Amino acid sequence: GLFYDPFAIVIDLNKAFENEKYKTPCNIQNRGVAYEDAKNFDNANKDFEEVVRLTTNEIEKDPQNAFAYYIRGLAYHSLGKYLVAFWQYVQVQIIDPEFAQEINAKEKMLNNLGMYKTYYFLGFVLLLSIMIGIKFIPSIFGRLLRKEKKVVHRTRNRHKKLE
């Protein structure tokens, strides 16, 4: 099986972010999840808040950007703002029902297989493959990541920073 190491993912994403083109809301969300899995909740929350800020900017530029609403919903969910996250997903359904169906189908499959960490790991491997120019990517990466844009809504208890 695949080994999921959130510490390695954080280190590698930090290195990737030296090139601004890889510092996207989707990748920042993935790093936030890795921080969270590494029990670094302060940095995880900072990443989730940054995702909200960046996707809000994208939505202001293009109010029909279903993917930005989806990523912003993930970030709000990660921050424990479940009702706000719900309304982001409603926007996705209104703007692009086909994309919303694809998200739901992929989530159900991954829930049934218990593959969240594997899915994030595969998305991360794909990102690194693209960055270093590897042309061969096993077909399973393509099957798992096609049309999903490399992010899956994770449903589990979130930890909040105690103030």
Side-chain angles (χ1 to χ4, degrees):
L2 296 172
F3 177 71
Y4 172 77
D5 181 1
F7 298 102
I9 289 175
V10 167
I11 290 167
D12 290 340
L13 281 171
N14 285 337
K15 179 104 175 122
F17 290 167
E18 292 172 7
N19 183 334
E20 282 297 313
K21 76 178 186 179
Y22 295 112
K23 198 169 186 177
T24 64
C26 182
N27 290 335
I28 295 169
Q29 175 71 20
N30 286 338
R31 183 179 68 180
V33 169
Y35 271 133
E36 185 178 63
D37 290 342
K39 309 281 188 254
N40 186 337
F41 303 115
D42 288 338
N43 282 339
N45 286 338
K46 286 177 188 173
D47 274 357
F48 300 141
E49 289 166 1
E50 177 73 359
V51 170
V52 168
R53 188 187 66 73
L54 292 171
T55 53
T56 298
N57 291 342
E58 288 182 19
I59 291 166
E60 287 173 358
K61 292 176 191 169
D62 178 10
Q64 297 300 305
N65 187 338
F67 186 66
Y69 278 104
Y70 174 64
I71 298 298
R72 189 165 72 173
L74 292 174
Y76 277 128
H77 186 271
S78 297
L79 289 166
K81 298 178 179 180
Y82 304 112
L83 187 57
V84 179
F86 171 77
W87 288 112
Q88 305 309 300
Y89 304 138
V90 168
Q91 285 299 116
V92 172
Q93 180 66 41
I94 292 168
I95 294 168
D96 191 345
E98 186 177 307
F99 177 56
Q101 280 184 328
E102 291 171 11
I103 293 167
N104 290 336
K106 192 78 59 137
E107 286 177 14
K108 286 179 186 174
M109 177 197 72
L110 292 172
N111 253 343
N112 291 338
L113 297 176
M115 290 183 58
Y116 284 124
K117 286 185 172 55
T118 300
Y119 189 84
Y120 274 99
F121 178 76
L122 291 175
F124 177 70
V125 169
L126 177 62
L127 171 68
L128 287 182
S129 299
I130 292 167
M131 286 173 49
I132 61 175
I134 296 174
K135 301 296 181 203
F136 173 76
I137 298 173
S139 62
I140 187 145
F141 291 173
R143 283 196 303 271
L144 283 174
L145 302 174
R146 188 178 321 128
K147 298 181 185 177
E148 178 57 29
K149 302 186 185 188
K150 299 179 202 103
V151 174
V152 169
H153 172 86
R154 295 166 25 120
T155 55
R156 65 180 181 86
N157 291 330
R158 298 294 177 180
H159 302 277
K160 293 183 189 176
K161 176 182 170 186
L162 296 175
E163 301 197 18

